[in-house]
Amino acid sequence: MKYSKSIAAAGLFHLAVGLPRPQMVYMDNQGDVGGVDPPIPTYTGAPVGNLRGSTNLQGGIASRPPVSGGDSAVVPNPELVGGQEADGELGLYLDFNSATYPNGPQPIRGSKGGTDPGPRTYEYEKLNPDTYAPPSTDLGTVPQAMWPLGLSHNLFGVGEESGWARQQNQDVLPVASAMAGVDMRLAPNAYRELHWHTSGEWALVLKGSVRVAAIDTDGASFVDDVTAGDVWFFPQGVPHSLQALHEGAEFLLIFDSGTFSETDTFLATEMLMRTPISVWAKDLQTNVSSFDNIPDAEKYIFNGTPAPANISEQNITSSAGALWGPTGYTYHWSQQEFHNTTGGSVKILDPLTFPVADMFSAALVVLEPGALREVHWHTESDEWSYFLQGSARITVYAAPASSQTFDFTAGDVGYIQKSNGHYIENTGTEDVIFLEVLQAKKFSDISAAQWLALTPRQVIKDTLNLSDEVLDALPKEKTLLKPGNPNMTAIAGGGQNY
């Protein structure tokens, strides 16, 4: 077997034979739980004992546990992290990674909550502190707005390590009605086979480089090479191919349908196999023997021969010519400079500069530690977000009086419905990088701070009881980003968070 050969080649066969059964190693609760006191002694021999207990164990018949001194749910020496005892209304970010197993973290914020004796998996709680110990400002019910692609089932390509793809759609994130995402990996020179979709496909290259090729309904052709940070877009129905260049590639695909599924793609191989050979012979004006070696299964993702370095060798045109400029299917976003401001950097791509993607608008944002993508909402579209690096949190406010805070790390998808207020705050010690995607002809939002600054002062003071000092400091121009103190619990010690 392949695995045996790999182990032998590494000189580890003698170790592998003697290894115990592999176990997942993670921090969880230990000791007795649910009436079971592990570890249970290993038993060998014929089965003994009954599967069902006696009727004498029914309530009112069986003996009762003592009111005091029985099985304990007390957590000894619970550990609280910095800011956890502060007023819950402050909603400070809690760094549960600093908690010491097994005494922390604990689901406590201010005077609310209580200790957790288990069952529990500590790693989940460290990744999601605002779910485990939510700010007191969270209220009511908000649809689940976060999905980690690390929990999506991976679909492998054919052949030796050709690549893979995993997806997010409404099956796993029901609120995401307007958009879905796919994270795809192609090995060096591997293909995503010739295909097309019923949805538009907007893509951001994450790593490596890709050669893309397509034709439109007039028979005009397109071929181009894109690299990390670049974008392509194919309207629904436009057939295209993707091939990784010599260093391989990983890219993010966003589709304009929440029900999109990678398994429902139209494939060239399947079309060939599902149409009579006699029809293909007539259509391509060739002998039926020409189809003796056609694939007998879809190729999906598969290894290929290297693309020629000279791309002009693959630039095949008809009388309709080639697509380029405003009709082309790519945009070299990596070559666009960022707009730099206090708190981080932003760059925007929408149909104003990439017209072929007439309903896709996106912002690539870099937030410094402690900084904030200001409180805002979108009037034209839901927002689909993807986190490329770092950690952040988002509170989603939904009318009239509901909110929930979600935590994000690299590889997570966020989804926020149109008009729902929200922010994105860097909760880590490094920059956080994320992508915001809208179904809109222009990237736009309403800034809460700008709204307050441009509304008659009397109205704001009578409604919100804010002081002149606060209102005087509000910027009349949209800032997009706000700088912040990297010490996320500074307020608890009397400091400032900005």
Side-chain angles (χ1 to χ4, degrees), residues 90-344:
L90 291 174
L92 302 179
Y93 179 75
L94 305 177
D95 180 15
F96 280 168
N97 283 298
S98 64
T100 305
Y101 171 82
N103 298 329
Q106 299 295 338
I108 295 172
R109 190 181 282 268
S111 61
K112 304 297 183 181
T115 58
D116 185 355
R120 55 191 296 198
T121 299
Y122 290 72
E123 299 306 318
Y124 291 149
E125 295 147 12
K126 291 180 177 181
L127 284 172
N128 300 283
D130 289 293
T131 299
Y132 192 55
S136 297
T137 47
D138 279 14
L139 183 69
T141 301
V142 171
Q144 175 66 27
M146 187 274 287
W147 175 259
L149 277 176
L151 292 182
S152 290
H153 187 269
N154 234 338
L155 182 60
F156 293 160
V158 302
E160 291 281 332
E161 298 184 4
S162 57
W164 47 259
R166 53 190 179 181
Q167 68 182 9
Q168 162 276 317
N169 57 22
Q170 281 192 288
D171 289 346
V172 295
L173 192 60
V175 71
S177 59
M179 285 172 275
V182 173
D183 177 21
M184 185 171 290
R185 163 72 162 142
L186 297 181
N189 309 312
Y191 291 99
R192 172 64 169 102
E193 76 157 279
L194 292 160
H195 66 282
W196 68 97
H197 308 284
T198 57
S199 302
E201 172 186 311
W202 191 98
L204 173 69
V205 182
L206 302 174
K207 296 276 190 178
S209 300
V210 181
R211 180 162 294 174
V212 301
I215 68 165
D216 69 5
T217 54
D218 294 324
S221 58
F222 180 83
V223 61
D224 195 15
D225 291 339
V226 287
T227 193
D230 291 343
V231 168
W232 72 72
F233 175 76
F234 297 117
Q236 63 178 25
V238 168
H240 54 280
S241 67
L242 310 170
Q243 182 180 19
L245 298 184
H246 302 343
E247 305 301 322
E250 182 177 358
F251 42 86
L252 184 68
L253 306 168
I254 300 100
F255 296 90
D256 56 9
S257 170
T259 59
F260 172 86
S261 176
E262 182 71 3
T263 59
D264 292 337
T265 298
F266 293 94
L267 304 171
T269 51
E270 290 289 353
M271 182 175 65
L272 197 63
M273 291 185 289
R274 306 306 161 203
T275 305
I277 295 300
S278 62
V279 172
W280 278 117
K282 184 180 296 184
D283 191 69
L284 302 183
Q285 296 290 284
T286 187
N287 294 324
V288 293
S289 60
S290 300
F291 302 94
D292 289 348
N293 297 316
I294 65 171
D296 57 6
E298 70 173 67
K299 287 196 166 182
Y300 183 47
I301 293 172
F302 65 102
N303 293 312
T305 55
N310 184 0
I311 195 173
S312 63
E313 295 179 22
Q314 296 187 327
N315 188 16
I316 305 169
T317 60
S318 69
S319 59
L323 299 167
W324 61 281
T327 62
Y329 292 131
T330 59
Y331 188 88
H332 292 262
W333 206 17
S334 64
Q335 299 177 34
Q336 177 184 327
E337 296 294 332
F338 275 94
H339 166 77
N340 299 309
T341 184
T342 52

Side-chain angles (χ1 to χ4, degrees), residues 323-409:
L323 299 167
W324 61 281
T327 62
Y329 292 131
T330 59
Y331 188 88
H332 292 262
W333 206 17
S334 64
Q335 299 177 34
Q336 177 184 327
E337 296 294 332
F338 275 94
H339 166 77
N340 299 309
T341 184
T342 52
S345 304
V346 185
K347 60 181 177 180
I348 287 173
L349 178 62
D350 58 23
L352 297 179
T353 49
F354 190 33
V356 70
D358 62 342
M359 285 299 291
F360 273 88
S361 296
L364 187 61
V365 183
V366 181
L367 280 181
E368 297 169 0
L372 187 78
R373 168 75 168 95
E374 67 175 348
V375 178
H376 66 283
W377 57 92
H378 302 286
T379 61
E380 301 295 326
S381 169
D382 294 355
E383 175 186 319
W384 189 95
S385 299
Y386 181 78
F387 288 81
L388 284 73
Q389 186 171 297
S391 60
R393 66 173 179 170
I394 298 174
T395 297
V396 179
Y397 160 65
S402 297
S403 68
Q404 187 169 334
T405 305
F406 302 89
D407 299 286
F408 295 84
T409 52

